[in-house]
Amino acid sequence: MPILTKFNRKKELAFYERYFKGVTTWVSPTTIIRPAYDLACRHGLGAVDALHLAAAIKAGAEFVSAEKPTKPIYSAYSNAVTIY
């Protein structure tokens, strides 16, 4: 959201603000750091992807990505789907 704010991308910013107001489950970052690291090492993920996946796994949530289905995200978590 900081980039959207910096570049005055009001429509996208409004979308994310509405989206985050509807969140019902928040995962504490301290509970996902080690699992994210393990996922990254096992599947060759980048740090941010690993953190996002670890949060989805912890919450039992579906993970939606714009990555190609051949990327490591999909081998790391069976509940990952692509919009690609």
Side-chain angles (χ1 to χ4, degrees):
M1 291 177 59
I3 291 172
L4 301 177
T5 302
K6 164 119 175 88
F7 293 104
N8 203 29
R9 292 163 56 177
K10 292 178 183 177
K11 259 181 136 173
E12 290 172 273
L13 192 55
F15 167 80
Y16 283 111
E17 286 172 347
R18 281 191 314 273
Y19 175 83
F20 285 118
K21 282 182 183 174
V23 172
T24 58
T25 302
W26 291 96
V27 175
S28 171
T30 59
T31 65
I32 61 167
I33 292 171
R34 185 60 197 201
Y37 178 78
D38 294 342
L39 280 170
C41 290
R42 229 182 1 257
H43 297 281
L45 299 169
V48 173
D49 285 342
L51 286 164
H52 287 154
L53 279 179
I57 291 167
K58 178 85 173 171
E62 179 179 62
F63 183 84
V64 180
S65 174
E67 295 282 346
K68 293 181 181 179
T70 56
K71 296 292 183 176
I73 287 172
Y74 302 99
S75 65
Y77 187 42
S78 62
N79 204 10
V81 296
T82 184
I83 60 171
Y84 182 74

